[in-house]
Amino acid sequence: MLAATGWVGGTPTPLRGASVLLRPTTDADTATLDRIVREPAVAAWWSAPDDYDDMLAIVLDDEVIGAIQYDEETDPEYRHASIDIFLTTAMHGRGLGTDSVRTLARWLIRERGHHRLTIDPAAANTAAIHSYRKVGFKPVGIMRAYGRDYRTGGWADGLLMDLIADELS
């Protein structure tokens, strides 16, 4: 597998969505991203990573409002990419997560040549699931006791969703 950033041969031009800009994170983003992942509505679904080196900053009007990352499976028989995202609570419900996921999905399909993408929100994260459906992701199935539930400390189900290249909206 490639590193989560997948920037083979160097960093590309930042990716522009309808409203957001996705660019590689820098050390200057760390304090902002640390603050965001500790917001209660974000921390319910995300744990703070050790670093943000393999992520793209989500920027709106020159302000970092979250981060998005991807991973690529390069085995030709199973080639696909996966996406994960978090966004500051103040920006929830404004379509910016959808714009970010759609922007990265387009790049993964058009520039990296992936025919299939996956995303795996917690099954209880209805807002995220709604956003991913807008991009074209479809539910595949429930993954039982899939990930840590940061609210309870127990295990929570995840929803596997995928998108085939020609379904991108």
Side-chain angles (χ1 to χ4, degrees):
M1 275 198 204
L2 296 175
T5 58
W7 300 135
V8 176
T11 303
T13 304
L15 305 175
R16 295 196 180 279
S19 300
V20 300
L21 174 78
L22 308 180
R23 61 150 174 84
T25 57
T26 67
D27 290 342
D29 300 326
T30 299
T32 299
L33 295 173
D34 276 343
R35 179 184 47 76
I36 292 170
V37 296
R38 286 175 174 74
E39 294 172 6
V42 177
W45 311 111
W46 266 82
S47 65
D50 292 333
D51 61 56
Y52 302 95
D53 293 343
D54 292 337
M55 295 186 182
L56 302 172
I58 302 170
V59 181
L60 177 69
D61 299 329
D62 297 320
E63 178 185 349
V64 173
I65 62 168
I68 191 166
Q69 65 184 5
Y70 70 93
D71 191 31
E72 296 182 289
E73 171 59 62
T74 59
D75 181 326
E77 293 192 35
Y78 300 98
R79 183 167 165 73
H80 71 281
S82 59
I83 298 174
D84 282 306
I85 181 174
F86 65 86
L87 204 60
T88 186
T89 309
M91 297 296 164
H92 289 185
R94 296 179 49 185
L96 300 169
T98 302
D99 186 25
S100 300
V101 171
R102 183 179 290 121
T103 300
L104 184 56
R106 280 189 184 131
W107 183 79
L108 288 166
I109 290 167
R110 293 177 182 167
E111 302 300 322
R112 299 294 297 156
H114 291 286
H115 75 286
R116 180 174 167 271
L117 306 176
T118 61
I119 201 160
D120 57 358
N125 192 344
T126 57
I129 293 165
H130 179 71
S131 174
Y132 306 151
R133 282 181 183 269
K134 288 181 187 178
V135 176
F137 283 89
K138 294 179 173 43
V140 174
I142 295 291
M143 299 177 290
R144 299 177 308 137
Y146 177 65
R148 196 54 79 181
D149 185 330
Y150 300 109
R151 298 163 299 171
T152 67
W155 293 100
D157 292 347
L159 177 64
L160 178 61
M161 302 178 79
D162 72 3
L163 177 142
I164 305 302
D166 63 1
E167 297 171 343
L168 180 63
S169 58

